[in-house]
Amino acid sequence: MTTTATASARTAGVPDGGTVVRALVALKLRLLRNGLRRSPGRTAVYVVGGVVGLAFAAGIALALALLNGRFAGSGDAGVMLLGVLTLGWAALPLFLFSSDESADPTRLTMLPLRPGPLLRGSLLAALIGPGPVVSLVLVTGAALSGADGAASAAAAVVGVPLAVFCLVTLSRAVAAGNARMLSSRRGKDFAIFGGLLFALLAQAANVGSQSVFGRPGQHLDLSPLAPIASVLRWIPPIGAADAARTAGEGRYGLALLQLASAGALLALLLHWWRASLQELMVTADSSTLEVARGVRGTGGWRLLPDGRVGAAMQRHLRYAWREPRAKAAVFTSIGMTVVICLLSVVQGWPSVYLLAMTGMFLGLQMLNLFGMDGSAFWMVAATLLTPADARDELRGRAYAVLSYAVPVTLVLGLLLASVTGDWAGLPSAVGLALALLGCGVALGATLSVLAPYTMPADGNPMRNAAPGQGGLLLVNQFGSMVGVAVLALPVGGYLAWALLSDGPTWPLLPLGPLYGALVAVLGVRFAARRLLERAPEILAKAVER
């Protein structure tokens, strides 16, 4: 009697498994519905994006199905597509973890849930959305690319759903196994660098595909895919869909082995996922158990100027290093330049003057200076008493941007000159880049005061503006690039004249930085005068969430 009463007391507050599964599925549906309710524009983008994505996936699946019987190696093309899908499902949670609330199991750690029902409900909820549907279409097309006969159809009926289950489970198992790391600041930093690496790999794959398939208009040759596909089809998620091709060739034992290995992988992934959920629900976060440390020394900050300029400079540099959105903006600017430069070298149109993009992109890091402060901007606004205070505040932030923008520009300039061999054009390219950098600083400071916008409160590095601030974001981003190009017309015009008429370009090395510095000083002074007038309005934008 006592044992029964104790067991009942222990389970009194724990819901049964079916209730948990239904609640998690309903929660995923509600998250999707509430996300679409934020604005009509968001709903339209989601619907149009889903329809376009599904149509694109259907087109790829149809193309793979049509390849079957017409080109040798059509099954190898399907295997390559499955390899890309597997890599994407495994890697994207590491980059987009914070943008999907349903993928974060740490939000449920305080609830009295058992790992089993939580696992089943999370798996069913993960199957809801456009991603699994698009993957189902693509996996079906990959299976059809090598199918032949009734045996292939039977293998595909089992293998296609099994492959989709493996992909979704792989994604959620990776997310759960790294949940605490990905939800931390270092995890968001990893997402930033991972996203840049993903962009570089995508460009490398684009260049590689052109070398394998040839350019548009050439005959399609799938034979180079055979060595890679022969290895990839042994990976279980890929082999589950490739079992249709194997069964169509009459190798029924190998097809059963491919399906069995995929089933074994699914069981292992579910076990890993369950163990990760168990650990998250019974183990405290190590960050909450650390002993408080003493205040660190000033270190390298001693090199900064004294007074308000140094304080503003230090604050901005800390944001650039510790705030994921600020770090994402800085490294994305550098990454975009590096990717474009690499593409120019690979595709045969390298130029040292691509360095100008570095100056423009890094100079525009001055945009929306006060949005990153959030509600803490009131401390800045409360001390802006004179025009000198406003100038020092903006000067400190401009110096912070220049402290990393100038060295990066010079290093990339040397790399571009060494790759292209155009050492004679390096001085003028550096001068143009520094002129654009100064113009970007001036325009960024001005737009930060005249057109500030609210940053989202969740710290997601993939979101640059709060809901309803899209118009101001477009004004800042596109208007600033056009404005910088207009401000730098004197320098760009002289360079164009010198290149067309074989005139000297070396004067841009001293004149470009001087022009950029003059424009930056004038822009900061103008923005400082308006900052005193608009500080309350900027504060209202900064605290709005």
Side-chain angles (χ1 to χ4, degrees):
M1 184 68 177
T2 304
T3 304
T4 304
T6 303
S8 301
R10 288 178 178 175
T11 60
V14 181
D16 62 274
T19 302
V20 172
V21 172
R22 288 191 297 271
L24 290 174
V25 173
L27 177 62
K28 179 61 177 289
L29 293 173
R30 183 161 301 207
L31 286 172
L32 289 174
R33 184 183 64 182
N34 292 344
L36 297 177
R37 281 181 170 180
R38 290 184 178 181
S39 65
R42 183 185 179 95
T43 303
V45 170
Y46 186 87
V47 173
V48 173
V51 171
V52 171
L54 186 59
F56 185 71
I60 294 177
L62 180 61
L64 288 173
L66 294 176
L67 287 177
N68 192 359
R70 293 177 172 83
F71 291 91
S74 59
D76 297 335
V79 168
M80 295 298 295
L81 174 63
L82 292 171
V84 173
L85 270 179
T86 303
L87 179 61
W89 277 97
L92 286 182
L94 303 177
F95 308 147
L96 304 177
F97 178 79
S98 58
S99 62
D100 186 2
E101 297 90 344
S102 63
D104 186 2
T106 60
R107 298 173 182 265
L108 306 174
T109 53
M110 299 301 294
L111 300 178
L113 302 177
R114 293 190 179 94
L118 178 59
L119 176 64
R120 293 193 298 272
S122 299
L123 178 58
L124 290 177
L127 293 172
I128 299 174
V133 176
V134 170
S135 296
L136 178 62
V137 174
L138 292 175
V139 173
T140 302
L144 292 176
S145 66
D148 184 17
S152 293
V157 168
V158 178
V160 169
L162 183 58
V164 174
F165 270 98
C166 284
L167 293 176
V168 174
T169 305
L170 172 63
S171 172
R172 293 309 172 102
V174 170
N178 300 277
R180 284 188 174 142
M181 186 273 289
L182 294 174
S183 59
S184 64
R185 180 173 62 85
R186 291 184 179 180
K188 294 175 181 178
D189 293 345
F190 172 79
I192 295 168
F193 292 113
L196 293 176
L197 178 61
F198 188 81
L200 290 173
L201 291 177
Q203 293 298 332
N206 179 34
V207 175
S209 64
Q210 291 181 4
S211 63
V212 170
F213 297 113
R215 299 189 178 273
Q218 297 180 357
H219 179 69
L220 181 63
D221 183 15
L222 300 177
S223 59
L225 300 179
I228 305 174
S230 63
V231 176
L232 290 180
R233 59 173 42 102
W234 288 102
I235 301 175
I238 302 173
D242 187 62
R245 178 196 60 84
T246 308
E249 295 175 352
R251 296 183 290 174
Y252 304 120
L254 181 57
L256 289 175
L257 178 62
Q258 288 178 310
L259 294 175
S261 61
L265 175 66
L266 179 60
L268 290 175
L269 291 174
L270 289 172
H271 178 74
W272 178 29
W273 190 0
R274 180 189 174 105
S276 300
L277 293 175
Q278 177 83 20
E279 182 180 0
L280 288 172
M281 300 189 75
V282 301
T283 307
D285 189 352
S286 60
S287 63
T288 64
L289 304 177
E290 294 181 356
V291 179
R293 299 176 181 177
V295 179
R296 299 179 181 178
T298 56
W301 301 120
R302 295 174 182 173
L303 301 176
L304 302 182
D306 295 329
R308 188 182 191 111
V309 174
M313 189 175 179
Q314 178 179 349
R315 187 190 324 116
H316 193 86
L317 289 174
R318 286 187 185 275
Y319 282 153
W321 182 248
R322 295 183 176 181
E323 168 62 41
R325 290 168 297 191
K327 185 179 293 187
V330 174
F331 285 97
T332 300
S333 301
I334 300 173
M336 288 175 60
T337 305
V338 172
V339 167
I340 295 175
C341 292
L342 289 177
L343 284 177
S344 69
V345 173
V346 172
Q347 296 181 355
W349 48 275
S351 174
V352 72
Y353 293 104
L354 291 174
L355 184 65
M357 293 186 304
T358 307
M360 174 183 289
F361 292 152
L362 291 179
L364 295 180
Q365 299 307 306
M366 286 285 290
L367 287 173
N368 201 33
L369 289 173
F370 310 109
M372 201 68 66
D373 292 352
S375 58
F377 179 69
W378 75 268
M379 301 179 66
V380 176
T383 58
L384 295 176
L385 304 178
T386 65
D389 293 334
R391 283 197 303 272
D392 289 345
E393 180 69 27
L394 292 176
R395 282 172 52 207
R397 302 194 186 219
Y399 290 162
V401 172
L402 294 173
S403 67
Y404 59 79
V406 173
V408 167
T409 302
L410 296 178
V411 170
L412 287 180
L414 292 174
L415 292 176
L416 272 175
S418 62
V419 170
T420 61
D422 188 10
W423 292 98
L426 178 61
S428 56
V430 171
L432 177 62
L434 294 181
L436 288 168
L437 177 60
C439 294
V441 168
L443 195 58
T446 302
L447 289 177
S448 295
V449 175
L450 298 182
Y453 56 90
T454 307
M455 302 290 287
D458 56 6
N460 185 353
M462 306 302 173
R463 295 175 56 196
N464 295 324
Q469 303 288 311
L472 289 173
L473 180 63
L474 290 177
V475 169
N476 276 265
Q477 291 183 343
F478 294 102
S480 59
M481 288 189 287
V482 175
V484 168
V486 171
L487 287 176
L489 272 179
V491 178
Y494 176 82
L495 177 62
W497 170 83
L499 292 177
L500 293 176
S501 61
D502 293 330
T505 59
W506 65 263
L508 285 180
L509 182 60
L511 294 180
L514 289 177
Y515 179 81
L518 175 62
V519 174
V521 169
L522 295 177
V524 167
R525 283 184 170 272
F526 172 79
R529 289 196 299 269
R530 300 304 303 271
L531 178 58
L532 284 177
E533 304 169 4
R534 296 176 55 85
E537 183 178 345
I538 297 173
L539 178 60
K541 283 287 185 182
V543 301
E544 181 184 348
R545 297 295 183 189

